Amino acid sequence: MVLTKEVDLPEFTTLTVPEVDLSTATLMSAAPYLGKYCEGINNEFMLCRFESNDPRACVELGKKVTACTLQLFRNIKSKCKQEFDQYSHCVDKSSGNFSFENCRKTQAVFDTCMKEKMCMERPDFGYFCRARVHNSPSAPPPPEPCPCQPKVPDETPSLPDCKPRPPARFGGRYFWITE
């Protein structure tokens, strides 16, 4: 993006928010619950990013996404801290690639705690792959008129009548196949 005098950049103070500075294992351990807990605001943020094609328009939504993430981790810390610490430590230390396969027992304990104390069930496998409709409260952006694009006719002209091809002069390419 080229910056000119006409481009208004937000002030640095509006961009400062508390960061979610957690380890990879911690984020991966809470990822299904995080995706479910902050699904609405995440979808709204991504919709804003794709529709506006300008990150400056979505700064406030980005702050809400960060706040939602921090709120989930505060809730986990207050209600299921010990179970979550065991699970994330297992994910961190049991393999070199943060694999979950060795941590199913601690995951079950954490899932039970989340269900009992926070009333959140772990999303089933494939939940985030399913297509869902997001009803956005914001209005869609107006379409951008582009006079530079040529007018394309709607109908495709029909193909010319195809005549049967004559057999190949020197035989086919599959000469080694016999019938």
Side-chain angles (χ1 to χ4, degrees), residues 2 17 19 26 57 74 80 89 115 118 135 138 147 150 158 167 170:
V2 178
V17 293
E19 292 187 17
T26 305
R74 283 186 197 113
C80 296
H89 184 72
K115 187 174 183 178
M118 290 185 60
N135 294 324
S138 61
S158 63
F170 302 109

Side-chain angles (χ1 to χ4, degrees), residues 22-31 73 76 80-95 98-100 103 106-107 110:
L22 298 171
S23 68
T24 302
T26 305
L27 290 172
M28 286 181 65
S29 299
F73 280 107
I76 290 174
C80 296
K81 182 179 182 349
Q82 183 179 2
E83 293 87 350
F84 182 69
D85 285 344
Q86 288 175 350
Y87 179 47
S88 64
H89 184 72
C90 179
V91 170
D92 189 27
K93 302 296 182 188
S94 67
S95 68
F98 304 110
S99 176
F100 297 110
C103 304
T106 54
Q107 176 185 343
F110 174 60

Side-chain angles (χ1 to χ4, degrees), residues 15-128:
L15 298 177
T16 55
V17 293
E19 292 187 17
V20 183
D21 49 346
L22 298 171
S23 68
T24 302
T26 305
L27 290 172
M28 286 181 65
S29 299
Y33 293 105
L34 181 61
K36 183 82 169 165
Y37 187 77
C38 300
E39 183 175 14
I41 193 67
N42 281 336
N43 290 345
E44 192 65 30
F45 174 73
M46 293 308 294
L47 185 66
C48 176
R49 286 294 306 266
F50 283 117
E51 283 183 346
S52 67
N53 204 12
D54 184 11
R56 295 172 296 168
C58 309
V59 169
E60 292 304 316
L61 285 172
K63 288 180 182 181
K64 289 180 182 178
V65 170
T66 305
C68 181
T69 303
L70 289 172
Q71 183 62 40
L72 175 72
F73 280 107
R74 283 186 197 113
N75 290 344
I76 290 174
K77 184 178 179 182
S78 68
K79 296 179 181 170
C80 296
K81 182 179 182 349
Q82 183 179 2
E83 293 87 350
F84 182 69
D85 285 344
Q86 288 175 350
Y87 179 47
S88 64
H89 184 72
C90 179
V91 170
D92 189 27
K93 302 296 182 188
S94 67
S95 68
N97 60 354
F98 304 110
S99 176
F100 297 110
E101 64 189 20
N102 300 325
C103 304
R104 296 298 180 196
K105 290 180 183 177
T106 54
Q107 176 185 343
V109 171
F110 174 60
D111 289 345
T112 304
C113 180
M114 289 294 286
K115 187 174 183 178
E116 290 174 358
K117 295 183 180 176
M118 290 185 60
C119 300
M120 285 185 71
E121 288 193 29
R122 183 181 198 86
D124 60 328
F125 187 74
Y127 174 81
F128 297 106

